[in-house]
Amino acid sequence: MNTKIKQLVKRGLKLVFGKRPIYTTANIVTLAPNELLKGRFALITGGTSGIGFAIAEIFLRSGASVCITSRSQERINNALKKLENTASEHNVHVYGYVLDSRNVSSYDSAICSIAEMEGKVDILVNNAGISGGDIPTVSEEEYDNILDTNLKGVFFLSRTLGKYFKEHHIKGNILNIASSSSLRPAGSAYTVSKWGIRGLTLGLAKSLAPYGIIVNGVAPGPTATPMLNKNGSDNIAINGIPAKRYALPEEIANMALFLVSDMGRMVLGDVVYMTGGAGLLTFDDIGYDF
């Protein structure tokens, strides 16, 4: 076979096979049932699916009771059905509460109602969030919706819980679900909101540390949640980042458990980046069009 033919064959093979998706899975290690959070009560916003749901599940298996929130009662009901067996197995409770993160005026009454479920709240996980808002196409309404949900809501709910912890002498935890986007050039409203979360985590940690309140963040990279993996495929391969795959919600939940447990009390004001290299080692895996 001459050189020209060899080149044509190689080019043809590359066209046929080079764009075929690589099928990737991951072997995720999770902690066995434990008592790391025994007797504690966690409020998890946006806890009906994805990362929030995985955090709720691992908290239940670690001895905490949990309240998940959503704007939708139907989504809460569906999630509770999936979590109730886990709660029963570990002799803890799981609750749901309809909460719109954009409605700041509802926070005081919401926290009072949620605290009554178990007598106190001592963990807040700010997980609720929405994506989108690219600079070239975002409308003012969409921008406001993203910032109100992802940043304004976190700001004021953290303030509400921070005051609650302080007034009741609770050495609690606030954990913000940040993003690898906070390390990237901000090309969208979503990325702007996550830059805000990064700074807010530092500010809250410094302000609340004197009261024994621990504030940290977890920053996932691309994660196989309904928000990103809309086609429901179980293939977690992704090009463009060093890890070559999506993170799984259970991986993020493992770190969340560590950070709100007593094992993590010397981690203060930090954001743990679980990005597979996205944002840390590269940010060219997404487009920057204008």
Side-chain angles (χ1 to χ4, degrees):
M1 187 181 296
N2 64 39
T3 303
K4 188 173 182 179
I5 294 175
K6 285 182 180 179
Q7 289 174 343
L8 290 172
V9 170
K10 287 181 179 179
R11 189 178 301 169
L13 290 172
K14 186 175 181 180
L15 287 172
V16 173
F17 296 104
K19 295 183 180 180
R20 291 180 64 181
I22 298 172
Y23 191 86
T24 301
T25 59
N27 180 30
I28 305 304
V29 177
T30 58
L31 289 174
N34 58 78
E35 297 185 347
L36 285 171
L37 302 182
K38 184 177 180 179
R40 302 188 69 185
F41 184 36
L43 169 60
I44 304 171
T45 66
T48 60
S49 65
I51 292 171
F53 183 90
I55 291 174
E57 194 167 40
I58 200 170
F59 281 13
L60 292 169
R61 289 195 280 108
S62 300
S65 291
V66 167
C67 177
I68 57 174
T69 76
S70 171
R71 298 175 189 174
S72 163
Q73 185 66 57
E74 182 181 4
R75 288 175 63 88
I76 288 173
N77 292 343
N78 290 337
L80 290 179
K81 288 178 184 177
K82 299 174 185 176
L83 292 170
E84 281 168 353
N85 285 342
T86 302
S88 179
E89 287 173 10
H90 299 284
N91 198 30
V92 291
H93 304 110
V94 59
Y95 308 90
Y97 191 91
V98 175
L99 182 69
D100 186 339
S101 297
R102 301 167 298 182
N103 187 3
V104 173
S105 64
S106 71
Y107 287 173
D108 286 336
S109 61
I111 296 308
C112 287
S113 298
I114 292 167
E116 287 176 358
M117 295 172 179
E118 290 284 322
K120 69 172 184 178
V121 179
D122 57 7
I123 300 172
L124 168 64
V125 179
N126 284 306
N127 170 73
I130 52 178
S131 62
D134 292 343
I135 289 175
T137 57
V138 65
S139 66
E140 182 178 1
E141 182 181 7
E142 183 185 8
Y143 177 93
D144 287 344
N145 187 36
I146 292 168
L147 268 291
D148 286 354
T149 302
N150 294 7
L151 185 55
K152 180 181 175 181
V154 174
F155 182 100
F156 283 100
L157 188 58
S158 297
R159 186 180 75 172
T160 301
L161 263 293
K163 287 182 176 181
Y164 169 85
F165 290 161
K166 178 183 172 183
E167 290 169 2
H168 291 83
H169 307 287
I170 296 171
K171 295 183 178 181
N173 293 81
I174 297 176
L175 182 68
N176 296 326
I177 304 304
S179 171
S180 64
S181 293
S182 67
L183 298 170
R184 302 172 183 271
S188 69
Y190 173 81
T191 305
V192 169
S193 73
K194 292 304 182 178
W195 273 79
I197 292 297
R198 180 181 171 190
L200 178 61
T201 300
L202 292 167
L204 287 169
K206 188 167 180 62
S207 301
L208 295 175
Y211 307 101
I213 301 164
I214 305 300
V215 183
N216 287 298
V218 179
T223 305
T225 66
M227 187 165 73
L228 280 184
N229 193 20
K230 294 182 173 64
N231 63 9
S233 171
D234 61 354
N235 183 12
I236 59 172
I238 179 174
N239 290 321
I241 68 171
K244 298 298 182 186
R245 70 169 177 86
Y246 287 95
L248 293 179
E250 292 81 2
E251 294 177 286
I252 312 305
N254 284 340
M255 183 57 68
L257 171 62
F258 172 83
L259 288 172
V260 304
S261 75
D262 285 343
M263 292 191 299
R265 291 197 69 83
M266 283 303 290
V267 184
L268 184 60
D270 208 344
V271 176
V272 179
Y273 293 96
M274 303 181 68
T275 73
L280 279 171
L281 304 180
T282 179
F283 51 72
D284 290 327
D285 51 303
I286 61 175
Y288 289 89
D289 300 320
F290 195 87

